[in-house]
């Protein structure tokens, strides 16, 4: 019945057309399916094959605070990277970061410090300086004979053509006119031994290119002096106090002792303490004299000595006396009512080779050395360790008491300049009569002009930066 119905309603020709239509639709759908799924993998394969795409765009609005940082070149990392805290211990087990992060980290280390960061002026290198010193022994008549190396006949000149370059920042050359303008109506004091006098001469020679200072005071031995710059009402003083504590010294001009130094470790030298509050800027230093033979007193009673074999006294050692004296000095500084700026300058080591000053030691080098090329002497290292320890404690106390106290550590940069000493040219023309003459060398003080001039560059920058 149903077959007859179909035959009547759908003749063969119609059925044939209908089947063709169904087949056409089937093949068209199959072709579309094959074409679509074949092309789809080619569109998504780059994302699936590379977990770190070369370029990614973050969908942040244009006014996002991060958008400016992301537009910076890779050589300048976003500021947020500089403030990231140290990673927790768990992150230490993560895989190595991709090359991009390594590059950013290296770049951060090479960036100059920001204005809020302080430069480490004492970590650097001596580099060639074709312009040479700002003064000469002819343009400055304030150089003492023993440091006037060129006038005394030193033949080489290379030691004059170097400058100190900190590794992380620029160190401008000392500007004498700017300095004098900053120091109007102020007073400076350099308190210490003959290296302090050496330093004062360097500063005076630089400033004399603007105005000649006038000597207004000197003691009987010309070891303590004061100068005035009339146009600026500016005074510079050097106060001879090699131990900073009270001492009786028995030696001649050449340093030859007739008896041990008598050192009172519980009494500060009044030559500097009585004037302490009169100065706006003070540079204190000591050190090398504590290596001399000495008898130590406290409460006017002998405690012991250093290097006194002919006396029946307890050998306490110079390190005992230096620590005790320096602690006493630091307590005075940090508890004072001084309202200016106080520096403690570390002592500078000597460069005697093949002996000491009293046993034929010399310093004949003509160029700076590299770090580690010349070993620091054991006794010098002991003095330095005591300084850094006691001055470090004092700096912490000073900040609590509102005292502006700073360390100027010239030890390392001076260690690299064995070429900067007078050597045999502490005397006038030492080899004029005999080229093979045996002459006592000075490998402790500094030629002027010379490496010591750099000390003023650093101190001025520390003053400017506060």
């Amino acid at each position: 019945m149903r077959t007859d119905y179909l035959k009547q309603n759908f003749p063969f020709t119609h059925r044939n057309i209908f089947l063709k239509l169904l087949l056409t639709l089937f093949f068209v759908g199959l072709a579309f399916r094959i074409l679509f799924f074949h092309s789809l993998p080619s569109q998504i394969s780059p994302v699936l094959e590379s977990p770190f795409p070369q370029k990614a765009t973050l969908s942040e609005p244009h006014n996002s605070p991060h958008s400016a940082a992301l537009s910076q070149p890779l050589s300048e990392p976003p500021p947020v990277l500089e403030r990231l805290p140290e990673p927790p211990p768990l992150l230490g087990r993560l895989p190595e970061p991709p090359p991009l992060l390594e590059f950013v980290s290296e770049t951060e280390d090479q960036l100059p410090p920001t204005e809020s960061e302080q430069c480490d002026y004492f970590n650097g290198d001596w580099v060639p300086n074709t312009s040479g010193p700002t003064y000469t022994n002819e343009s400055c008549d304030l150089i003492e004979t023993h440091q006037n190396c060129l006038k005394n006949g030193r033949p080489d000149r290379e030691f004059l053509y170097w400058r100190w370059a900190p590794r992380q920042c620029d160190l401008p050359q000392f500007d004498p006119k700017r300095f004098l303008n900053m120091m109007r109506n102020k007073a400076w004091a350099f308190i210490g031994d003959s290296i302090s006098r050496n330093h004062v001469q360097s500063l005076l020679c630089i400033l004399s290119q603007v105005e000649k200072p006038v000597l207004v005071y000197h003691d009987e031995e010309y070891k303590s002096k004061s100068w005035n710059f009339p146009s600026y009402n500016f005074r510079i003083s050097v106060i001879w106090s090699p131990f900073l504590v009270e001492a009786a010294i028995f030696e001649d001009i050449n340093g030859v002792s007739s008896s041990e130094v008598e050192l009172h470790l519980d009494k500060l030298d009044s030559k500097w303490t009585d004037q302490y509050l009169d100065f706006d800027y003070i540079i204190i230093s000591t050190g090398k004299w504590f290596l001399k033979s000495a008898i130590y007193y406290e409460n006017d009673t002998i405690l012991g000595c250093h290097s006194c074999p002919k006396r029946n006294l307890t050998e306490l050692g110079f390190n005992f006396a230096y620590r005790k004296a320096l602690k006493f000095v630091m307590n005075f500084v940090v508890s004072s009512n001084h309202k200016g700026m106080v520096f403690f300058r570390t002592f500078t080591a000597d460069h005697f080779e093949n002996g000491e000053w009293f046993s034929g030691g010399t310093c004949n080098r003509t160029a700076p050395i590299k770090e580690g090329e010349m070993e620091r002497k054991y006794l010098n290292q002991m003095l330095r360790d005591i300084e850094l320890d006691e001055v470090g404690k004092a700096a912490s106390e000073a900040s609590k008491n509102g005292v502006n106290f700073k360390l100027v550590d010239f030890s390392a940069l001076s260690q690299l300049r064995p070429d900067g000493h007078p050597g045999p040219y502490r005397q006038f023309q030492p080899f004029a009569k005999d080229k093979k003459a045996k002459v006592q060398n000075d490998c402790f003080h500094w030629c002027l002009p010379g490496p010591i001039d750099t000390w003023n560059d650093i101190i001025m920058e520390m003053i400017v930066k506060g």
Side-chain angles (χ1 to χ4, degrees):
M1 179 103 182
R2 184 172 298 274
T3 305
D4 294 340
Y5 177 79
L6 289 174
K7 287 181 181 179
Q8 291 176 3
N9 291 280
F10 295 95
F12 175 79
T13 54
H14 292 107
R15 289 199 308 271
N16 191 30
I17 294 172
F18 178 73
L19 290 172
K20 288 181 178 180
L21 180 60
L22 287 175
L23 290 172
T24 301
L25 292 174
F26 172 78
F27 285 114
V28 169
L30 181 62
F32 178 80
R33 182 179 179 86
I34 291 171
L35 289 172
F36 177 78
F37 284 100
H38 179 72
S39 61
L40 183 59
S42 66
Q43 296 173 9
I44 64 174
S45 60
V47 178
L48 296 178
E49 291 172 2
S50 177
F52 298 104
Q54 294 181 349
K55 184 177 182 180
T57 303
L58 300 182
S59 56
E60 292 192 39
H62 292 293
N63 59 354
S64 165
H66 300 292
S67 59
L70 290 171
S71 66
Q72 295 179 3
L74 295 179
S75 59
E76 299 178 12
V80 69
L81 292 178
E82 298 176 0
R83 298 191 294 271
L84 286 177
E86 290 295 323
L90 178 62
L91 293 181
R93 295 193 294 269
L94 289 176
E96 289 295 321
L100 174 62
L101 294 181
E102 293 177 355
F103 175 75
V104 171
S105 175
E106 291 172 1
T107 305
E108 280 188 309
D109 290 342
Q110 296 169 7
L111 289 175
T114 62
E115 292 182 0
S116 62
E117 295 174 338
Q118 291 187 350
C119 175
D120 181 2
Y121 296 111
F122 311 107
N123 182 19
D125 304 282
W126 290 98
V127 298
N129 176 30
T130 55
S131 61
T134 58
Y135 67 93
T136 68
N137 63 306
E138 294 181 351
S139 66
C140 180
D141 59 3
L142 299 166
I143 305 172
E144 291 184 8
T145 301
H146 292 330
Q147 283 87 56
N148 202 334
C149 303
L150 299 182
K151 184 177 181 180
N152 289 342
R154 178 168 174 170
D156 61 297
R157 297 290 187 274
E158 185 182 357
F159 75 97
L160 299 173
Y161 295 92
W162 299 90
R163 65 177 179 84
W164 179 250
R167 295 193 180 115
Q168 296 179 335
C169 55
D170 292 328
L171 177 62
Q173 189 176 52
F174 188 95
D175 185 337
K177 191 168 187 61
R178 182 187 183 192
F179 181 85
L180 286 169
N181 281 321
M182 290 172 59
M183 295 300 151
R184 285 184 184 275
N185 306 314
K186 297 189 182 300
W188 271 70
F190 292 74
I191 303 168
D193 56 21
S194 55
I195 297 296
S196 292
R197 293 209 312 271
N198 205 173
H199 188 184
V200 165
Q201 294 170 57
S202 168
L203 179 59
L204 290 172
C205 282
I206 295 172
L207 297 178
S208 68
Q209 308 308 300
V210 176
E211 180 174 89
K212 297 292 184 183
V214 178
L215 181 66
V216 293
Y217 166 80
H218 65 81
D219 63 2
E220 188 176 346
E221 297 178 323
Y222 283 79
K223 289 185 175 180
S224 295
K225 300 178 184 179
S226 291
W227 297 263
N228 188 47
F229 290 83
S231 300
Y232 300 88
N233 190 30
F234 172 48
R235 179 164 55 101
I236 294 179
S237 299
V238 57
I239 302 173
W240 167 256
S241 182
F243 292 99
L244 301 179
V245 294
E246 190 175 298
I249 303 170
F250 309 96
E251 65 176 40
D252 61 21
I253 192 172
N254 293 315
V256 178
S257 300
S258 58
S259 183
E260 295 90 352
V261 176
E262 295 178 357
L263 211 57
H264 293 265
L265 301 177
D266 59 343
K267 297 179 182 179
L268 294 178
D269 186 355
S270 61
K271 287 199 298 291
W272 68 272
T273 56
D274 288 351
Q275 306 176 63
Y276 187 76
L277 296 179
D278 297 338
F279 299 103
D280 301 284
Y281 294 87
I282 298 171
I283 299 179
I284 301 173
S285 61
T286 182
K288 199 70 173 180
W289 278 70
F290 281 84
L291 297 178
K292 292 178 177 288
S293 298
I295 299 172
Y296 303 140
Y297 290 80
E298 199 170 63
N299 296 321
D300 294 321
T301 302
I302 295 177
L303 294 177
C305 71
H306 165 59
S307 186
C308 58
K310 295 181 180 180
R311 296 179 181 264
N312 187 24
L313 297 173
T314 303
E315 174 65 40
L316 296 175
F318 71 88
N319 52 334
F320 165 83
Y322 193 45
R323 186 177 293 278
K324 199 171 185 66
L326 200 56
K327 189 187 295 288
F328 194 22
V329 171
M330 292 298 101
N331 285 339
F332 174 85
V333 170
V334 302
S335 61
S336 70
N337 294 319
H338 191 270
K339 302 303 179 185
M341 184 176 286
V342 182
F343 299 93
F344 181 85
R345 176 184 61 76
T346 56
F347 91 102
T348 55
D350 64 81
H351 289 94
F352 286 99
E353 296 184 271
N354 306 312
E356 296 298 328
W357 70 271
F358 53 83
S359 59
T362 60
C363 43
N364 297 323
R365 302 193 186 222
T366 57
I369 59 174
K370 296 296 182 182
E371 194 170 332
E373 188 175 333
M374 182 179 288
E375 186 177 358
R376 194 188 299 270
K377 297 177 182 178
Y378 177 69
L379 296 182
N380 292 335
Q381 186 61 50
M382 289 179 68
L383 289 174
R384 176 170 168 75
D385 290 344
I386 293 171
E387 283 182 342
L388 296 182
D389 187 22
E390 294 302 326
V391 175
K393 294 174 186 175
S396 177
E397 287 299 313
S399 62
K400 295 177 185 177
N401 298 339
V403 177
N404 194 353
F405 178 69
K406 298 180 183 296
L407 173 71
V408 281
D409 187 6
F410 294 140
S411 294
L413 64 87
S414 300
Q415 175 71 14
L416 304 180
R417 294 303 306 271
D419 59 321
H421 302 292
Y425 297 99
R426 66 186 296 273
Q427 303 173 32
F428 181 73
Q429 300 291 344
F431 303 111
K433 295 181 179 179
D434 182 359
K435 292 184 178 179
K436 296 183 180 181
K438 291 185 178 181
V439 181
Q440 181 179 324
N441 279 242
D442 180 356
C443 306
F444 184 61
H445 298 92
W446 301 93
C447 290
L448 292 174
I452 198 172
D453 297 323
T454 288
W455 297 7
N456 299 308
D457 298 340
I458 293 175
I459 288 174
M460 180 169 179
E461 280 303 292
M462 292 179 72
I463 292 171
V464 169
K465 299 295 173 60

